[in-house]
């Protein structure tokens, strides 16, 4: 658990307040607020509506958002899969709409409408856990993921542990990564970014997701952490893949995406995740 949270009654209804006393708390909450706002704009998934991020005098911050009475997800597993696919397809639909609008004389995008995003990244730093993610825009997904996700995590491990085996494995794995993306087209998709079982739930009328670390990336990345920690039923995956079928090479790329989460957990929680990180790297190097 990164932050503490509590609900409060206010004149305008109930709110949920997260508090964190770390010096980077405001950056973390600003990224989460921007992530929730981006997901809300798509009208595809239910997320808490963000209200405000407030700095504390001790250098920490609080994040005020809509209160939901959230329960464990059981009834709406298939709905979650469908809605997540809709979120991932939303940017592609914007592209198609933009193409149609150009063909319709005099039709331009409205001020409040979302625009198609043709690169990978995000307009603000987001944090997966408490570690900041490098979201500078890139047009090439493989470069983005290799440099701004895996390399960043491996640099932290090198600095903290100087692990020679990991260094050697990484030098070999880097050469293998481009082949995993041969012959597949990747369109930027808005991602939740940290969709494990602890960040999903349900309210009376449907599923809810929360604690996002969003960016525009490959939709397959979203499914990696759910496969590590579980909590997602078969109905979820069936419903998701009915809308977004698995592309050739899916399973191996999923392992690559899981590597990011193993490394991120190693950097957060210590060497208990070293074994999983090393075995995943070895499995990706034939």
């Amino acid at each position: 658990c990164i932050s503490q949270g509590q609900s409060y009654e206010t004149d305008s209804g109930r709110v949920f307040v997260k508090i964190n006393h770390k010096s980077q708390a405001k950056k973390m909450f600003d990224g989460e607020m921007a992530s929730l706002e981006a997901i809300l704009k798509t009208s595809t998934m239910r997320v808490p509506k963000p209200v405000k991020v407030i700095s504390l005098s001790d250098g920490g911050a609080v994040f005020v958002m809509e209160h939901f009475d959230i329960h464990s997800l059981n009834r709406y597993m298939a709905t979650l899969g469908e809605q997540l696919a809709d979120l991932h397809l939303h940017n592609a639909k914007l592209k198609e709409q933009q193409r149609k609008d150009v063909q319709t004389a005099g039709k331009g995008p409205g001020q409040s409408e979302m625009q198609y995003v043709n690169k990978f990244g995000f307009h603000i730093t987001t944090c997966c856990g408490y570690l900041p993610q490098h979201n500078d825009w890139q047009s090439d997904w493989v470069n983005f993921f290799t440099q701004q996700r895996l390399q960043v995590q491996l640099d932290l491990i090198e600095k903290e542990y100087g692990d020679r085996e990991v260094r050697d494995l990484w030098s070999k794995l880097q050469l293998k990564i481009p082949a995993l993306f041969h012959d597949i087209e990747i369109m930027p998709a808005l991602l939740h970014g940290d969709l494990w079982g602890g960040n999903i739930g349900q309210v009376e009328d449907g599923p809810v997701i929360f604690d996002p670390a969003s960016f525009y990336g490959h939709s397959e990345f979203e499914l990696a952490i759910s496969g590590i920690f579980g909590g997602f039923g078969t109905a979820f995956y069936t419903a998701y893949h009915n809308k977004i079928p698995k592309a050739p090479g899916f399973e191996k790329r999923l392992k690559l995406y899981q590597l990011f989460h193993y490394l991120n957990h190693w950097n957060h929680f210590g060497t208990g995740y070293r074994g999983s990180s090393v075995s995943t790297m070895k499995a990706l190097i034939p």
Side-chain angles (χ1 to χ4, degrees):
C1 183
I2 305 291
S3 304
Q4 296 172 303
Q6 197 173 333
S7 291
Y8 295 91
E9 295 290 347
T10 73
D11 293 343
S12 51
R14 250 180 137 190
V15 294
F16 183 71
V17 179
K18 289 169 77 169
I19 184 165
N20 189 293
H21 295 284
K22 285 181 179 284
S23 58
Q24 66 266 41
K26 187 172 187 303
K27 178 182 275 191
M28 186 170 73
F29 287 154
D30 282 343
E32 185 180 342
M33 181 161 177
S35 300
L36 290 170
E37 287 172 341
I39 295 169
L40 269 173
K41 277 185 186 172
T42 68
S43 302
T44 55
M45 305 199 78
R46 190 98 175 258
V47 293
K49 189 177 180 181
V51 178
K52 195 169 190 179
V53 174
I54 304 158
S55 296
L56 298 175
S57 55
D58 67 357
V62 297
F63 182 17
V64 185
M65 68 188 81
E66 178 183 8
H67 167 88
F68 281 153
D69 193 11
I70 298 175
H71 302 278
S72 295
L73 184 64
N74 49 52
R75 285 208 308 268
Y76 298 110
M77 202 56 84
T79 309
L80 180 69
E82 289 168 11
Q83 291 181 355
L84 185 67
D86 289 340
L87 173 67
H88 292 167
L89 293 168
H90 186 264
N91 194 46
K93 287 181 177 171
L94 286 178
K95 183 183 184 183
E96 180 60 22
Q97 187 60 50
Q98 196 172 294
R99 188 184 64 79
K100 286 178 182 171
D101 289 349
V102 167
Q103 294 169 351
T104 310
K107 173 86 168 75
Q111 278 300 102
S112 62
E113 287 177 27
M114 286 183 82
Q115 299 294 296
Y116 167 65
V117 173
N118 66 354
K119 290 187 175 173
F120 302 96
F122 207 51
H123 62 280
I124 191 172
T125 299
T126 51
C127 297
C128 194
Y130 57 77
L131 291 175
Q133 300 194 118
H134 296 233
N135 288 332
D136 295 348
W137 296 102
Q138 280 214 42
S139 53
D140 184 90
W141 167 250
V142 177
N143 284 341
F144 177 90
F145 183 69
T146 304
Q147 295 164 11
Q148 292 172 220
R149 290 298 180 263
L150 293 179
Q151 188 68 64
V152 171
Q153 294 289 336
L154 286 153
D155 286 348
L156 290 171
I157 284 162
E158 176 63 28
K159 188 177 173 185
E160 184 68 25
Y161 302 101
D163 194 306
R164 186 175 174 179
E165 185 181 12
V166 168
R167 197 184 314 135
D168 291 346
L169 286 168
W170 178 232
S171 67
K172 293 172 186 165
L173 177 57
Q174 283 182 81
L175 305 174
K176 305 285 185 185
I177 290 174
L180 300 177
F181 295 87
H182 189 60
D183 282 348
I184 64 159
E185 185 188 354
I186 301 171
M187 186 174 289
L190 181 61
L191 307 179
H192 173 284
D194 191 18
L195 200 67
W196 68 290
N199 289 343
I200 62 172
Q202 69 180 41
V203 290
E204 191 58 42
D205 58 348
V208 178
I209 61 172
F210 43 91
D211 289 355
S214 291
F215 63 98
Y216 283 86
H218 187 194
S219 56
E220 290 178 358
F221 174 84
E222 194 87 281
L223 303 178
I225 195 167
S226 64
I228 294 174
F229 296 113
F232 293 73
T234 311
F236 165 80
Y237 293 105
T238 302
Y240 180 88
H241 288 301
N242 279 343
K243 290 197 168 192
I244 303 179
K246 291 180 184 180
F250 171 86
E251 303 299 340
K252 203 147 195 186
R253 285 190 300 276
L254 201 66
K255 266 200 181 308
L256 181 70
Y257 294 147
Q258 287 177 339
L259 175 61
F260 165 80
H261 291 291
Y262 285 132
L263 295 170
N264 188 46
H265 277 71
W266 183 354
N267 280 315
H268 274 86
F269 307 113
T271 52
Y273 286 93
R274 182 189 184 275
S276 302
S277 301
V278 168
S279 63
T280 303
M281 290 175 94
K282 285 179 176 175
L284 287 162
I285 304 167

